Amino acid sequence: MDEVFGGSFTQQEPIPEAGIAAAVAVMRHGRLHRYNTVGDEIAETVLLEQEFAAYVGAKYCLAVASGGYAMATALRAVGVKPSDRVLTNAFTLAPVPGAIAAVGAVPVFVGVTRSLVLDLEDLAAKADQGSVLLLSHMRGHLCDMERLMEICDAAGITVIEDCAHTMGAAWKGKPSGTWGKVGCYSCQTYKHMNSGEGGLFVTDDAEVAARAIMYSGSYMLYERHLAGPPKETFETIRFETPNISGRMDNLRAAILRPQLEDLATQCTRWNERYLTLETGLRGAAGLTVIERQEQETFVGSSIQFLLEDWQAADVQMLVGRCAARGVELKWFGNAEPVGFTSRYDSWRYVDAPAMPQSDRVLAGIIDMRVPLTFSLDDCAMIARIIREEAERISTPAT
Ligand SMILES: *Cc1c(COP(=O)(O)O)cnc(C)c1O
């Protein structure tokens, strides 16, 4: 009898009790808006910003409505204008080109390597095609950040990091989100902290921080941002920056603060699960695990492997057979986007030239979420199921 896995790939852990209690307290006093405080009360949103800035080691932090909002705000705050071209990853999720489109700019896609990171040779070749790079650390894979910054610095490219999958990750010990000008994070349910929706924006640049605060809809209450720049920074910025509301509220911040306290522990738990899966999959027929770099501190909240040069029908058979045994794999090689598995040629509002080398990689990418509700035994079983099915397809019974 074949084993069948019974867990849910979309079930996250509950909000910690401390977060539930803090959320109830906010609801009881009713001051959910970040600027609605009494006396010398400091809003939950402001406290979250201070704590997150300290966590990543950034000077300034702004809590916003979503990761997508953080990215669009970052693009505006560094001066991207309608019809500007913005470099970004061919392998990422829809909110990334969407943030570029939201400011009226035009994505220029940079390829993906077999290690699932941005192709730095392709970046160097396209460095004259945009003055901003929205770099997505897609699925938590970090490219050589020193080399990337060298290329971008030499070409005068401003880097904005999409850290939706790298909250808690680092390259050579330096946190993801602090290499470029701005780091953007998502607190949507499937990321590393869960407030349903939400985003965080970090930078060391006072003017960029001031613009972001004004964009997010601070009325003229920017002095209440304790993780914001000094008030002199706003002197002219406050008159020049439109209000494009996208603030976070105190209820979400209350839920997130205890999760930030637990984040390091959670990252360790994700990696235990990731390594169990990786060990179980390594060496399976026809399947390539993604080797991690020693400079990379990653958070294994999802796992990817490659089915290199497999026939589409065989990939679909593997995905189907695993699904029949309770294991949900997502395939980025599908001709059409399914769920979240879109890629550069799915975004037809962009006129993107074909990228044959990236297409070859994308055609083989299999992706799987690793919720913390899975035990290590669950992960071992999932790996056994994938391995068995991959082996059955590679060596068909006669
Ligand atoms: C989730 C995600 C975002 C941000 O998403 P929001 O839903 O807007 O918070 C950005 N980039 C990637 C790669 C993501 O997966």
Side-chain angles (χ1 to χ4, degrees), residues 131-185:
S131 56
V132 174
L133 167 66
L134 178 52
L135 170 66
S136 184
H137 303 298
M138 177 61 175
R139 284 300 184 246
H141 298 277
L142 291 163
C143 66
D144 180 337
M145 289 303 297
E146 286 177 319
R147 179 73 193 116
L148 176 121
M149 291 310 301
E150 262 170 36
I151 295 169
C152 291
D153 289 345
I157 294 172
T158 302
V159 178
I160 297 168
E161 294 179 71
D162 165 24
C163 305
H165 306 158
T166 54
M167 184 187 279
W171 180 263
K172 278 197 159 179
K174 183 172 164 60
S176 163
T178 63
W179 286 84
K181 178 72 88 182
V182 182
C184 302
Y185 305 78

Side-chain angles (χ1 to χ4, degrees), residues 66-68 71 92-93 95-96 136 138 162 164-165 186 188 191 198:
S66 71
M71 292 187 288
T92 183
L93 292 183
V96 179
S136 184
M138 177 61 175
D162 165 24
H165 306 158
S186 171
Q188 182 253 60
K191 311 301 163 83

Side-chain angles (χ1 to χ4, degrees), residues 67-77 80 95 98-100 102-103 134 184 201 215:
Y69 183 87
M71 292 187 288
T73 303
L75 293 167
R76 290 189 183 100
V80 173
I100 296 170
V103 303
L134 178 52
C184 302
F201 173 112
Y215 278 126

Side-chain angles (χ1 to χ4, degrees), residues 100-258:
I100 296 170
V103 303
V106 181
V108 174
F109 295 112
V110 180
V112 58
T113 71
R114 289 179 67 238
S115 308
L116 304 192
V117 296
L118 194 77
D119 180 345
L120 297 182
E121 277 176 40
D122 196 31
L123 175 65
K126 291 175 176 160
D128 60 348
Q129 295 188 36
S131 56
V132 174
L133 167 66
L134 178 52
L135 170 66
S136 184
H137 303 298
M138 177 61 175
R139 284 300 184 246
H141 298 277
L142 291 163
C143 66
D144 180 337
M145 289 303 297
E146 286 177 319
R147 179 73 193 116
L148 176 121
M149 291 310 301
E150 262 170 36
I151 295 169
C152 291
D153 289 345
I157 294 172
T158 302
V159 178
I160 297 168
E161 294 179 71
D162 165 24
C163 305
H165 306 158
T166 54
M167 184 187 279
W171 180 263
K172 278 197 159 179
K174 183 172 164 60
S176 163
T178 63
W179 286 84
K181 178 72 88 182
V182 182
C184 302
Y185 305 78
S186 171
C187 309
Q188 182 253 60
T189 293
Y190 300 107
K191 311 301 163 83
H192 299 175
M193 297 198 296
N194 172 14
S195 58
E197 303 287 355
L200 291 157
F201 173 112
V202 300
T203 184
D204 283 347
D205 184 307
E207 290 191 8
V208 167
R211 277 188 221 113
I213 289 169
M214 294 309 300
Y215 278 126
S216 77
S218 84
Y219 313 128
M220 287 291 161
L221 302 172
Y222 48 82
E223 283 179 68
R224 299 223 220 142
H225 284 251
L226 302 183
K231 80 170 197 225
E232 308 78 73
T233 322
F234 292 85
E235 205 171 297
T236 54
I237 286 174
R238 67 192 174 129
F239 296 113
E240 294 169 353
T241 312
N243 177 327
I244 305 176
S245 293
R247 296 167 301 267
M248 185 185 282
D249 57 83
N250 289 331
L251 190 53
R252 289 196 171 92
I255 293 173
L256 290 169
R257 291 181 58 219

